Amino acid sequence: MDYDAMDGLEDVGPRVVVRHALRDRADFTLENTDLSFANSLRRTLLAEVPTMAIDLVEVQANTSSLADEFIAHRLGLVPLNSKNVDDVSYTRDCEFCEQYCEHCSVTLDLHARCTGDEIMKVYARDLVVAEPRPNEWVGVPVITDSLGLGTLICKLRKGQEIRMKCVAKKGIAKEHAKWAPTSAVGFEYDPHNKLQHLDYWYEEDPEKEWPKSENAKWEDAPQDGEPFDYSAQPSKFYFDVESIGNLEPDAVVLQGIKVLQQKLALVIQELSGDDRNGDADGFGGARSPDGLQGGADYGMDQGYTTPFGNTGGQTMYGGGTTPFGATPYGQSGWQ
């Protein structure tokens, strides 16, 4: 390959520079893009990357000192491996069942009984994954401690017992925090505040009371007397993605970009007036019932019907009309 012919191409399109990469953390910079895209990526990483989490708990026996709901809540927060989670269908989209099955869920069994005099601790390692499942990775509890125990679920005294069937499903953190792929996403731009997007409150000296972050070493400090550039826009953004263990940080970023592409593809499809059924440009992915083509046929219960009719999206006045008949822009509804 002729690398000389590629001179100057590094500034075309977004550019990513990985500064640090660990098993559960990735620190990188994103350049040659605008603030809206960078912030959209940040929000997607936090709330819209699909993972696996326990969503349904069937309590068969519980004589511990903790209530059923308390243990069920703790089980929901146990991180589960979500590698290749695309192999798992959303329960609401599953064509093989109405509640859960091997195509849209993973079943884990928990059975522990204390027979000794000492207090028995039940950990995530005691969750046994049942077969079959969509692939060999999804649903396995994430265990990162040196002892190989995992998350503490509960404690049992002599004679106490818990026996539960846990069903893990695919979801996103926008629906519930237990599906969050990250514990935090650090985000910063313009560490020297050249753009003056921040107005620091200080008592005596802002330089001492508001110390610069480590990212300030990656940019030149403003010069004394330098005129303010009113047309300047941020173009370099600093990300620090910390995974909770269900996905590797690079996989979280790649999935976030994929989800962002899917959402943009749906917008393009709607703007172009494409009425074809199916995924927009082959992108599939998560979507809400009211965003589907033919949303009234979505599932057994659309979940958004009104007491004035069972056709989704219909108001008490009927269809898309206002209480005064036609809209101010002509006939009722979209033309």
Side-chain angles (χ1 to χ4, degrees):
M1 180 180 292
D2 186 5
Y3 290 98
D4 294 335
M6 299 178 64
D7 292 343
L9 293 181
E10 63 273 8
D11 292 333
V12 177
R15 178 170 177 261
V16 175
V17 177
V18 179
R19 301 189 295 180
H20 305 287
L22 300 175
R23 180 180 178 181
D24 59 350
R25 191 169 182 175
D27 187 310
F28 63 93
T29 62
L30 176 63
E31 304 178 50
N32 300 333
T33 186
D34 57 16
L35 178 59
S36 61
F37 175 81
N39 192 49
S40 297
L41 178 60
R42 178 190 68 85
R43 292 171 61 93
T44 303
L45 297 180
L46 284 171
E48 298 192 53
V49 173
T51 62
M52 296 292 294
I54 294 175
D55 189 51
L56 179 64
V57 177
E58 298 178 3
V59 180
Q60 299 168 347
N62 178 24
T63 57
S64 69
S65 59
L66 300 179
D68 297 348
E69 295 81 3
F70 193 97
I71 297 179
H73 182 267
R74 292 184 65 84
L75 288 170
L77 296 178
V78 174
L80 302 180
N81 194 327
S82 302
K83 184 177 180 180
N84 290 355
V85 74
D86 289 340
D87 295 339
V88 184
S89 302
Y90 286 98
T91 301
R92 60 178 177 268
D93 297 334
C94 186
E95 301 176 353
F96 303 95
C97 68
E98 294 183 359
Q99 189 175 17
Y100 63 86
C101 67
E102 61 186 70
H103 301 281
C104 62
S105 66
V106 175
T107 302
L108 302 95
D109 295 318
L110 176 63
H111 185 199
R113 179 182 176 85
C114 181
T115 58
D117 295 330
E118 296 183 357
I119 294 177
M120 176 183 179
K121 297 181 180 180
V122 182
Y123 293 95
R125 69 173 182 180
D126 299 314
L127 289 165
V128 180
V129 182
E131 299 291 346
R133 49 185 170 142
N135 62 48
E136 59 181 308
W137 299 287
V138 294
V140 178
V142 175
I143 300 176
T144 58
D145 59 289
S146 58
L147 299 178
L149 301 176
T151 305
L152 177 65
I153 298 174
C154 69
K155 298 179 181 180
L156 302 176
R157 298 191 68 175
K158 185 176 182 179
Q160 293 182 340
E161 176 187 12
I162 58 171
R163 185 169 65 251
M164 301 180 177
K165 178 182 179 181
C166 309
V167 179
K169 298 181 180 181
K170 180 179 175 181
I172 58 176
K174 183 181 286 187
E175 182 178 355
H176 195 285
K178 64 185 176 185
W179 280 296
T182 60
S183 57
V185 176
F187 179 75
E188 185 182 16
Y189 67 92
D190 188 25
H192 292 286
N193 199 27
K194 293 182 181 179
L195 303 176
Q196 297 184 11
H197 286 184
L198 295 177
D199 187 10
Y200 294 117
W201 180 91
Y202 62 93
E203 293 182 347
E204 296 180 0
D205 188 354
E207 295 296 329
K208 294 181 179 179
E209 298 175 23
W210 295 91
K212 298 291 189 298
S213 68
E214 291 294 323
N215 297 324
K217 300 178 181 178
W218 290 69
E219 295 189 12
D220 297 331
Q223 303 297 323
D224 293 337
E226 180 179 349
F228 181 74
D229 185 359
Y230 290 91
S231 62
Q233 297 290 335
S235 60
K236 187 173 184 179
F237 307 92
Y238 304 90
F239 284 82
D240 188 357
V241 179
E242 183 177 352
S243 170
I244 65 171
N246 48 12
L247 286 172
E248 295 181 352
D250 59 335
V252 174
V253 177
L254 291 176
Q255 282 283 352
I257 295 174
K258 181 179 179 180
V259 171
L260 203 54
Q261 288 177 325
Q262 294 167 358
K263 294 169 72 70
L264 293 174
L266 290 174
V267 173
I268 294 174
Q269 178 181 344
E270 293 297 328
L271 292 178
S272 62
D274 190 352
D275 294 332
R276 292 177 300 175
N277 293 326
D279 301 332
D281 297 339
F283 283 111
R287 70 270 191 195
S288 59
D290 56 353
L292 297 173
Q293 296 290 339
D297 296 330
Y298 182 82
M300 299 298 295
D301 180 10
Q302 292 81 44
Y304 50 93
T305 57
T306 69
F308 307 100
N310 57 2
T311 55
Q314 188 174 12
T315 67
M316 63 180 295
Y317 305 104
T321 61
T322 68
F324 308 102
T327 65
Y329 306 99
Q331 299 299 322
S332 60
W334 295 100
Q335 301 298 328

